[in-house]
Amino acid sequence: MSTPHPASPEARDRLVLGVVGGSGLYEIEGLEEVEQVALETPFGRPSDAYTVGLLPRADGLPPVRAVFLPRHGRGHVLLPSEINFRANVHGFKQLGVTHLLSVSAVGSLREDIAPGDVVIPDQFIDRTAGRAQTFFGGGLVAHVQMGDPVDAGLSRRVAGAAEAEGARVHVGGTCVVMEGPAFSTRAESNLYRSWGAHVIGMTALPEAKLAREAEIAYALVALATDYDCWHQSEGEVSVEAVIAVLKANVALSRRLIARVAAGLPVSTAELPYPRALQHALITDPTRIPAETRERLELIAGHLLQAPE
C-alpha cells in the first residue's frame, strides 16, 4: 500500500489551526510546547518565523495543534504590498495547517458597523495591484472557484466565538481589499459604499485566493477600527485612532482564537476543508515542466500523474 501524498485528504485527517495576525496581533497566548520554525518555500521567505504549539482544551479533550504567523512580521516591518503572501500560505501548508483564521484590522463603510465591532465577511472585492495572485503558472494552469471565498463552517464557529466573548458581531458582508499603504480618498470610500461593501482592508487578498489553491479552509475576522474617511463627523482615519481601537480588539481576538480552538473537532471529517483543485487543473500533465512540478509538489502533487 502506497503512502498518501502529504497534501492529500487521506494524509490530512488531523485538523491543524493556522492563525495569521494583522496589525497589532503579533502572538497568540496560551500555547504550550512552543517552538519557532523558520521556513524556506519555493516562493521565497514568509513574513517571519512561525510559532508552533498546542492550545490546551478543557474536559480532557486533546489539545489543538496551532500555527501562528505575524503577517507584517514582528514589529510590523512589512507594508501590505511587501508581504509575500505565497510564501506565507505555503509555509502554513508545510506545517500541516488545514484551517486558517485570518485576523485583520479594517475600516467600516457602514454606519451600523462601529469601531470595535467584529465583522465576519463572506465576500471580497479585489482592488489590489501587482500582487502575485496564484501559486500556478510556469506551465501548469489551474482555475479554482471563488464564488464563496471563505469557509462557511469555520466562519460560523468564529462568529459564535466572537458573540460568546461579548463582541458586537456582523455575520456576512463584503470586504474591499485595497492596495495601500495610503488610506482611501473620500471619493473612493463613497464609491465602495455605493457598491454595497461593508468594510475595507489591505491584506485579505490574495491571501484567501492562495488558501483556496492550497486547499486550506479560510475565514476572516475583520476588526473594525475606524469609519475610513466617508464619515464626515468622525474625521479622517489616522494611525493613532486605529491603534487606540486595536489595543482593545487585540485582547478580544486573543480570547476569540482560544475559544475557536477549544470548540474545534480533532478530525477534518467533522469540519471539512475545501478540495478546490479536484476539478481546477487544466494542463496536459505531459506538458508540465519538471521544475514546475517540483515547485508545486506540495500544492498539487497529489493530483498530478507521474511523468512517463
Side-chain angles (χ1 to χ4, degrees), residues 32-216:
E32 298 179 351
E33 300 182 26
V34 177
E35 61 176 319
Q36 299 296 318
V37 180
L39 294 178
E40 292 287 342
T41 82
F43 302 92
R45 283 188 179 178
S47 295
D48 212 312
Y50 295 80
T51 301
V52 182
L54 300 175
L55 281 171
R57 302 198 290 177
D59 302 324
L61 295 172
V64 173
R65 181 172 170 82
V67 179
F68 174 76
L69 180 71
R71 184 188 288 116
H72 297 277
R74 287 168 177 82
H76 204 116
V77 296
L78 297 172
L79 289 169
S81 303
E82 295 176 324
I83 295 169
N84 189 337
F85 290 97
R86 292 193 298 181
N88 288 354
V89 174
H90 197 279
F92 278 117
K93 182 85 168 181
Q94 286 179 233
L95 293 169
V97 167
T98 58
H99 293 71
L100 182 59
L101 177 57
S102 172
V103 182
S104 182
V106 297
S108 168
L109 297 172
R110 297 290 186 95
E111 187 82 47
D112 64 324
I113 300 175
D117 287 5
V118 175
V119 183
I120 314 296
D122 57 6
Q123 287 294 326
F124 299 111
I125 295 174
D126 194 347
R127 295 283 291 167
T128 65
R131 301 182 185 186
Q133 298 275 340
T134 179
F135 290 114
F136 293 94
L140 176 53
V141 177
H143 301 286
V144 297
Q145 294 184 344
M146 287 294 292
D148 296 302
V150 302
D151 184 82
L154 183 58
S155 293
R156 282 194 298 270
R157 287 174 181 267
V158 172
E163 290 169 350
E165 287 297 331
R168 188 165 179 241
V169 183
H170 306 263
V171 180
T174 297
C175 177
V176 175
V177 185
M178 62 183 292
E179 184 63 30
F183 295 119
S184 303
T185 67
R186 190 165 288 111
E188 289 169 332
S189 192
N190 282 313
L191 174 65
Y192 304 145
R193 279 170 47 77
S194 76
W195 290 351
H198 296 76
V199 294
I200 182 168
M202 299 181 186
T203 55
L205 296 175
E207 195 173 76
K209 294 178 182 179
L210 294 164
R212 180 61 54 86
E213 287 187 347
E215 298 188 321
I216 296 173

Side-chain angles (χ1 to χ4, degrees), residues 282-304:
I282 195 169
T283 302
D284 179 345
T286 64
R287 301 297 302 275
I288 302 170
E291 61 270 23
T292 300
R293 282 181 174 273
E294 182 178 0
R295 185 176 70 251
L296 292 172
E297 169 62 22
L298 182 64
I299 301 297
H302 59 298
L303 295 174
L304 296 177

